[in-house]
Amino acid sequence: MLDPTSLYLSNPALLEDARVRGLPLIVALSGYAEAGHVAVQIEHAITDALPHEVVARFDLDQLYDYRARRPHVRFAEDHFEDFQDPELSLRLVTDPLGRSFALLTGPEPDLQWNRFTEAVVGLARRMDVSLVAIVSGIPMPVPHTRPFIVSVHGSRTDLLPVKHAWRPVVEMSSSAAQLLEIRLTEAGIDNIGFTVHVPQYLAEAHLPHAAVAALEHINAVTSLTLPSDELREAAREIERQIDQQVGASPEVQAVVAGLEQRYDDVVDASAPRSLLVGDESELPDADEIGAAAEAFLAAREDEQD
């Protein structure tokens, strides 16, 4: 493997600064299978509202497939301008109460996953991060009219929900974030992942309330105060639009009603919001979970074709 450190250009003064030692690291990579656009909304919510400095910036010419995910450019009357160059960077951010944390955001690499994850693990070691929190969204057969379910996983078993009898084994298409979780665990670096279950029929939409659910979980494990007011306001408008569209289609109403019944049968309001509760026979099995993910990926492939 080529030297992972040559994948990024760092700010040496900041990387050696005591301010970056022992901080939590939030990872939100926008990718091919990012249901609900959870990661990109978290990135914008944090970087638009909080002061930040770039610690390291990755060389996307080595990691990004520009033909598969073409950046936008503007044509203004007689010339092109405003090429939207993608950026994958590690930042030092300060929350409203003056607490610092690290934030890794940008597009999921298309290439060199092993080298990329080794680079991130190396940076985490160098910064002596206290905890890595990885967020993502996955399409699932759940209704938009109920609270979002968030699956929790990772090496910090003390932060995971109480274990239940139903412990599925599921094979699905992977992501760079999932590989990073594996590599962090192998390196002995504490990590926890939050996967928001996004309604499958809304997987392509920007769902601010899905991002809010992820931010709430990050706040809980890091004691940070992350901005969510604008997302909550946007969520109210999105919910109104979704309800309007659903109300105009009896067929969609029937589908949503069925999902609501299943959700209510499975999820106990007094228990943590996870599908890992209730009677095993009522839960979606591994095939259903895998099918939901594969259907979403197939739809993305059809759109690109």
Side-chain angles (χ1 to χ4, degrees):
M1 181 188 298
L2 296 174
D3 181 8
T5 62
S6 63
L7 272 180
Y8 59 84
L9 180 64
S10 64
N11 180 339
L14 187 55
L15 194 54
E16 297 303 325
D17 195 309
R19 290 180 299 158
V20 304
R21 296 286 177 273
L23 303 179
L25 166 61
I26 299 170
V27 178
L29 301 177
S30 55
Y32 176 64
E34 186 204 357
H37 297 274
V38 171
V40 70
Q41 291 184 93
I42 288 176
E43 175 184 8
H44 291 160
I46 292 176
T47 58
D48 290 349
L50 301 179
H52 54 86
E53 303 172 73
V54 174
V55 178
R57 183 175 283 113
F58 284 84
D59 179 8
L60 281 184
D61 276 353
Q62 301 185 61
L63 300 173
Y64 191 87
D65 185 346
Y66 288 88
R67 292 190 302 174
R69 292 188 283 175
R70 296 179 183 268
H72 287 180
V73 66
R74 175 185 298 167
F75 182 76
E77 298 182 358
D78 59 358
H79 65 280
F80 289 99
E81 63 182 20
D82 193 24
F83 176 74
Q84 298 180 16
D85 212 2
E87 180 178 342
L88 175 57
S89 59
L90 177 67
R91 295 180 174 92
L92 173 65
V93 189
T94 305
D95 79 359
L97 297 181
R99 292 169 297 201
S100 297
F101 62 97
L103 176 69
L104 177 63
T105 58
E108 172 195 56
D110 296 302
L111 310 169
Q112 303 190 47
W113 280 12
N114 283 296
R115 190 168 168 227
F116 166 73
T117 53
E118 285 301 313
V120 176
V121 168
L123 285 166
R125 281 188 174 132
R126 191 169 175 182
M127 297 168 61
D128 191 26
V129 299
S130 58
L131 177 70
V132 181
I134 304 173
V135 295
S136 61
I138 186 172
M140 290 291 287
V142 294
H144 71 279
T145 53
R146 296 293 186 269
F148 279 94
I149 294 168
V150 179
S151 289
V152 187
H153 40 87
S155 66
R156 281 292 300 272
T157 55
D158 58 312
L159 297 177
L160 302 182
V162 177
K163 292 183 179 180
H164 298 273
W166 187 70
R167 301 176 63 186
V169 176
V170 183
E171 289 192 12
M172 62 182 68
S173 298
S174 62
S175 69
Q178 292 163 353
L179 177 59
L180 177 59
E181 181 177 313
I182 293 172
R183 296 292 182 254
L184 289 167
T185 300
E186 292 173 348
I189 298 173
D190 287 346
N191 64 85
I192 188 166
F194 300 114
T195 301
V196 183
H197 295 201
V198 176
Q200 189 173 359
Y201 53 92
L202 295 174
E204 288 290 346
H206 281 74
L207 298 180
H209 31 329
V212 170
L215 286 173
E216 289 176 344
H217 281 71
I218 296 172
N219 287 340
V221 299
T222 62
S223 298
L224 294 169
T225 303
L226 301 179
S228 62
D229 289 348
E230 290 191 9
L231 286 172
R232 294 177 191 276
E233 183 64 29
R236 285 188 279 271
E237 174 60 21
I238 293 296
E239 288 173 346
R240 185 192 65 79
Q241 295 176 13
I242 293 172
D243 289 340
Q244 186 177 39
Q245 294 180 22
V246 171
S249 172
E251 294 82 3
V252 175
Q253 291 178 45
V255 171
V256 173
L259 293 173
E260 289 174 337
Q261 182 62 53
R262 180 172 185 169
Y263 183 105
D264 295 340
D265 288 344
V266 172
V267 180
D268 181 353
S270 65
R273 292 175 186 172
S274 170
L275 283 181
L276 308 184
V277 294
D279 183 81
E280 182 174 348
S281 63
E282 298 174 323
L283 296 168
D285 58 24
D287 290 338
E288 290 179 284
I289 296 174
E294 291 298 337
F296 177 59
L297 292 171
R300 296 297 297 270
E301 291 174 354
D302 289 343
E303 288 180 0
Q304 289 185 351
D305 291 341

